[in-house]
Amino acid sequence: MIWNDTTKELAKKLNTDFVTGLTEEAAAQLLIETGPNQLPTTKKKPIWKIVLAHFIEPFVLVLIALAIIATVIGQWQEAVVVFLIVIVDATLATCQEVKAVASLDSLKKLVSSQAVVIRNGNKYDIDAKDLVIGDLVYLDAGMFVPADLRVIQSYNLRTNESLLTGESTLVNKTAEALTEKKLSIGERTNLAFMSTTVATGSGLGLVYATAKNSEIGKITTLLQEEKEPKSPLTQQMSFLIRIISIFALLLGLAMFLLQFLLIKVPVASALIFGIALTIAVIPEGLQVIVTVSLSLGSSRMAKKHAIVKHLPAVETLGQVDIICSDKTGTLTQNKMTVKKYYLTKSVNDSNAFKKQTKQEQLFLDCLVLCNNSSVSTNKTVGDPTEVALMNWSETLNFSTKKLITKYPRIYEIPFDSNRKLMSTIHEYDKEKYVFVKGAVDNMINMCSHALINNERVGLTAQIKQQIVARMDEMSNSALRVLGASYRIINNKQDYSNVSEIENNLIFLGLVGMIDPPRNEVKASLVKTKKAGIDTIMITGDHLNTAVAIGQELGLIENKTQALSGNAIDDFSEKSFNANVNQYRVFARVSPEHKVKIVKALQSHKKVVSMTGDGVNDAPSLKAADIGVAMGITGTDVAKESAQIVLTDDNFATIVDAIEEGRNIYSKIKRIVMFILITNMAQVFAIVVGAIFGWNELLQPIQILWINLIVESVIAIPMSMGPNNPGLMLEKPTNRNDRILTGSWGFIGIVSIILSALLLLVFHYLPSILHEDVNEGFIYVFVIMANAPVFYAFSFVSGANTSIINKITWKNKYIWIAAISAFAINTFIIFTPFVSDAFGIGQGFCAVDWLICIVLSTIPMWLLEMYKGIRFLFKKWFKKDVAVKENNVKTKFKKK
Ligand code: ATP
């Protein structure tokens, strides 16, 4: 059995080397032979199932039923248009769903798992699917185990195997061969299994099974894809469509009875009229529009480096009130360079370093040996903090490779963000040396001595003070400061006892490295401020470093706005919640503090986004309304827990994603308003017309045609085209608001104005133009078919932007749709036979048409006027508020 073999035996069996791994050539050959290390995923939903799913939507069934009734009663023209609506809708919905699924699939591939492999003795980051049997794989906390592995080195390596065994207690992994022949999966403690996660420690493993031959591959023939949850917006839309559909059916029935019983219209005509009205009121296009908008938005976000794992996150993004961001790598470049160091007396420039005294030698050796990164001329792998230390040694001409070979590592206590320290144990000058590097404030309390030049001295209060003062000096100039220390241990020491090992240390020195802020961050912070979004920096780094960077970025003005993790612990939960808004920087935080911060901010009813990268960040990413994981430096566990993954780890990307989220929400809202206004205007006009006895205000086929043009041709392109930058000048929307909260009044008034226009046209225009009162419905139809083509532009440009704007000019899709709709409308009006079907007689001439087109633009002009008045009012009101505030301030000053 694989677990009975020693490392040597296994390496021989697998044709590999347990130190240098496979050669590149052997790995490439094996990959061709065995295929990729991928688990089979769920079969794609066939197109017919997607189409069928659309046809069994309740409102589509209603449409089909109505179309059948129309056919049965011989109203074939109307039946054709209703079937056309159903087919166009089904085609659009199917195309969009297929596209949305494909784009979501390709987005998921972008966050596929990586593995760190050792081939030819060098470390590489590769795609986990390229692993082959015999590969030597590095494991670290937070990673997914990328294949089934025989562990050959374990430094406190523990995995979570609940996925396979259902058992949530962590399993200690050993590198020793096991003697038992029969063992259950949970008992095979020297094996690590594909898709389980590394909870703590680090280690090495040899791949012995991949893909479907792995344990997980054997039990799941098909990997269950997570079902995409319905977004709150989709749910709201379903609800809205359902309510409106019921209302539409009742209204249709009422109109049918009114016509048939009271006005004595023939039964077939009355029935078809009721049917047409019902269809006109049902906003069947809304569902497709929401899906299209969300999936288009998520593709756009992916292009800007933000991968949205679940569509509902797109909506929540638009509502974010607070961005909690990591410092290192997100606000800063994560390109660390050692600038200063301190051993004795003063802080020196990094290039002045010499390796002469014992202190100097051990100091640099500690920084290189207690380090997991690898640097070579063509490839650098590892944590930027560690890479900076390796690079420093190389630039000083001290070979890191030689040192690592000379003093082999026996054990490692990996870095974790709670201790903020890392330790390694080495064979060093025939003894066992522990080297420790990490956060100075934690390390100093574990030191009992200091090495000064060649002499070991007791760590007096005075020396301690010196060290802290030098650390402050470096961190005040925004440097990340790490301490280095060591001790010699005896052979019997238990390595795994962390507090024993990291104790009685001998302090060696400090190293300070610069990590400059990202250039684009300042502009993004200005943008967030204008958008009413607060930004909070949360970092594991020292308070001084965090304050210096915070000030440089303009996040805070002084140190009183910054709080350290220890100080958070001093607060009670209640008082922390009450005071949290005073702070913009939190430093030296642990992952537990992050959860406290999220909860405190949420207690003020804020929508909080939180970034994370570490294995322990999963709880805070889940607690936040939007968890954002780092794609480059983030662990697999963090990426799994987040809703959004940044492929460039950049703060500016979060801001771009929020802007996109706001735009998507706003576009959907405007389209919903556009459709409802168009539908309601017709209903108002028809109902009021019926009260006046004007039954022929709009004919059934005309109503259906308008519905087709508006919902199937114009509405969808409205969700495309450029974003409105003005949305980032507004406050975030309230998360508890429904999409149309506060808009019903506007929808009602515009619908009434539009219906009034139709009624006036119906009543007066024929007599003005031809004195033929019976032609009113033709004018009403021509206006109602064309008016939405014009006022769609008012909705595309947004509530605060006039129609003459690049948002409208640059949306080529809406232009194509509008011109097409206009052309088809004109075609049906002037083409013989076709125009007959729409009840348009020969008497309707070009001049009439021109007058109708001019009248069709009225709603658009009215909407633009409204925007202008609103703009002036806001400007005037703001000025008024500013003047009032000024007066208060002057009064205050005078006092
Ligand atoms: P953030 O990304 O949240 O801004 P960070 O990267 O600054 O945080 P951590 O990685 O938790 O936070 O680092 C916190 C502290 O731990 C650092 O200030 C440093 O002193 C120490 N540290 C960081 N990386 C290492 C490492 N590889 N080895 C030892 N100590 C480290």
Side-chain angles (χ1 to χ4, degrees), residues 122-124 374-381 391 394 400-401:
N122 294 320
K123 257 187 196 174
Y124 297 101
S374 84
V375 291
S376 61
T377 37
N378 54 4
K379 192 102 190 153
T380 300
V381 180
N391 279 335
E394 292 286 341
T400 52
K401 238 184 174 167

Side-chain angles (χ1 to χ4, degrees), residues 601-870:
L601 293 169
Q602 285 173 332
S603 73
H604 293 270
K605 306 243 173 316
K606 301 284 184 193
V607 178
V608 182
S609 94
M610 168 67 81
T611 62
D613 49 11
V615 58
N616 299 328
D617 283 338
S620 60
L621 289 175
K622 284 192 174 149
D625 300 283
I626 286 279
V628 182
M630 300 299 136
I632 303 172
T633 55
T635 55
D636 293 330
V637 171
K639 287 183 212 167
E640 183 72 7
S641 314
Q643 286 138 300
I644 289 182
V645 178
L646 304 182
T647 53
D648 62 354
D649 290 10
N650 191 348
F651 176 79
T653 305
I654 308 176
V655 182
D656 284 347
I658 291 177
E659 184 171 1
E660 192 63 59
R662 284 191 178 191
N663 268 285
I664 293 167
Y665 194 80
S666 156
K667 276 179 187 166
I668 294 176
K669 180 175 177 167
R670 281 179 273 140
I671 299 172
V672 175
M673 287 165 74
F674 167 76
I675 291 180
L676 290 184
I677 285 172
T678 314
N679 291 2
M680 279 168 67
Q682 292 175 77
V683 172
F684 287 160
I686 291 167
V687 171
V688 175
I691 294 169
F692 284 119
W694 304 337
N695 299 315
E696 62 287 9
L697 192 101
L698 266 174
Q699 291 187 356
I701 189 163
Q702 297 175 335
I703 299 174
L704 296 172
W705 181 258
I706 294 165
N707 195 274
L708 184 71
I709 288 287
V710 169
E711 289 185 33
S712 305
V713 182
I714 308 177
I716 291 181
M718 287 173 74
S719 64
M720 302 169 185
N723 283 337
N724 185 346
L727 287 179
M728 286 304 265
L729 299 174
E730 291 170 18
K731 289 222 156 68
T733 52
N734 189 333
R735 64 153 11 157
N736 294 323
D737 283 355
R738 303 198 130 241
I739 190 157
L740 292 177
T741 303
S743 304
W744 283 109
F746 175 80
I747 295 173
I749 291 171
V750 179
S751 312
I752 290 171
I753 294 175
L754 186 51
S755 60
L757 174 75
L758 298 181
L759 288 163
L760 289 173
V761 164
F762 181 81
H763 193 61
Y764 293 110
L765 200 60
S767 48
I768 296 170
L769 294 178
H770 295 292
E771 291 173 358
D772 181 355
V773 191
N774 292 330
E775 279 186 1
F777 71 94
I778 303 174
Y779 300 101
V780 171
F781 169 63
V782 178
I783 291 173
M784 201 52 220
N786 286 303
V789 175
F790 293 107
Y791 65 73
F793 285 91
S794 289
F795 285 91
V796 168
S797 56
N800 299 320
T801 321
S802 98
I803 207 164
I804 304 161
N805 190 291
K806 63 174 188 247
I807 303 165
T808 26
W809 296 130
K810 285 197 170 170
N811 184 347
K812 58 176 187 264
Y813 307 99
I814 186 68
W815 280 100
I816 294 171
I819 292 168
S820 315
F822 190 72
I824 314 171
N825 282 339
T826 313
F827 170 81
I828 60 162
I829 291 164
F830 289 112
T831 312
F833 302 117
V834 183
S835 61
D836 292 348
F838 285 83
I840 301 165
Q842 298 307 314
F844 189 79
C845 63
V847 178
D848 297 344
W849 177 80
L850 208 62
I851 290 169
C852 286
I853 297 302
V854 173
L855 292 174
S856 304
T857 62
I858 289 179
M860 178 187 78
W861 298 125
L862 289 177
L863 283 168
E864 291 307 301
M865 269 166 60
Y866 168 71
K867 283 187 205 172
I869 293 166
R870 211 167 140 230

